[in-house]
Amino acid sequence: KIAVEAMKRGVQDYLVKDQVDVGGLWRAIMGAVSRKELREQLDRSLRELTEANAVLEQEIATRKAAEAKLRAAKDAADEASRAKTRFVAMVTHELRTPLNGILGYAELLRLEGGLSALQDERIGAMMQAGQHLLKMIERVLDFATIETGRIELHPVTVAVRDLTEACVTFIGPLATEHALRLRMVSSYDAPPQILADPARLRQVLLNLLSNAVKYTPAGSVELRVDRKSVV
């Protein structure tokens, strides 16, 4: 009865005074030592686990802080990119307005007449340079529009021959400067009209012809138009 009550109170082992022998004493001692070692080992494991948990929590906090900084940097970069795009779009719009005015007055001078051959030639060169600058401005505006994901196409019926001949005429002075022959060949099956965005199509053709002239060392550049190439 005493032993049962003692066990209930937390006693791990007991020895009966008048029944102590060497074997029982040895087992009791070894059991006590083993339990003490187990408790110490458990305490060490708990301390190690607590320390490891503290280190892990610190690493998590550090990682969260780094992720927050990365998100903030990305948001700032995105906002800077949007601001740049808005600025480019605004500037190009502002540049186009006076440039169109300059080209318009140059055209009026030609229409009014009374110009000498040299003056007419200079007006033509000014208009050609202005048109080239206008195309460059429109190209920059295109890039800004593409970045915002709002580029739009406006397809209409396009006279193929008129558009291609105008492109060849525009690139003609550049070909002459590079001592190249530039010509257009229209196949018998080339459609007279297609459905396309004339501004975009003109831009593509001018880029292709300009690059062809720039990177052709000698000889000629030829623009071929047939049903296969315009389908």
Side-chain angles (χ1 to χ4, degrees), residues 215-227:
Y215 299 108
T216 299
S220 63
V221 173
E222 187 175 275
L223 174 62
R224 297 181 181 178
V225 184
D226 55 37
R227 179 169 295 277

Side-chain angles (χ1 to χ4, degrees), residues 146-167:
I146 290 171
E147 284 186 354
T148 60
R150 295 184 310 207
I151 188 168
E152 296 180 358
L153 297 177
H154 303 284
V156 296
T157 301
V158 178
V160 175
R161 190 172 187 87
D162 290 346
L163 188 142
T164 51
E165 285 182 346
C167 291

Side-chain angles (χ1 to χ4, degrees), residues 88-155:
V88 169
M90 180 189 68
V91 170
T92 50
H93 277 298
E94 293 297 325
L95 288 175
R96 281 200 305 181
T97 301
L99 183 57
N100 282 325
I102 293 171
L103 293 175
Y105 277 111
E107 184 65 26
L108 283 176
L109 286 174
R110 271 191 163 178
L111 292 175
E112 289 173 356
L115 299 175
S116 66
L118 179 59
Q119 289 173 330
D120 186 73
E121 181 182 350
R122 288 175 176 174
I123 290 291
M126 182 176 70
M127 292 184 65
Q128 183 178 357
Q131 289 290 348
H132 180 65
L133 180 58
L134 184 61
K135 295 299 180 184
M136 292 179 64
I137 292 174
E138 290 175 348
R139 189 176 306 173
V140 172
L141 184 59
D142 285 344
F143 290 150
T145 306
I146 290 171
E147 284 186 354
T148 60
R150 295 184 310 207
I151 188 168
E152 296 180 358
L153 297 177
H154 303 284

Side-chain angles (χ1 to χ4, degrees), residues 168-183:
V168 170
T169 300
F170 185 84
I171 298 296
L174 182 63
T176 301
E177 181 182 343
H178 285 73
L180 298 172
R181 295 186 303 276
L182 177 63
R183 66 171 184 160

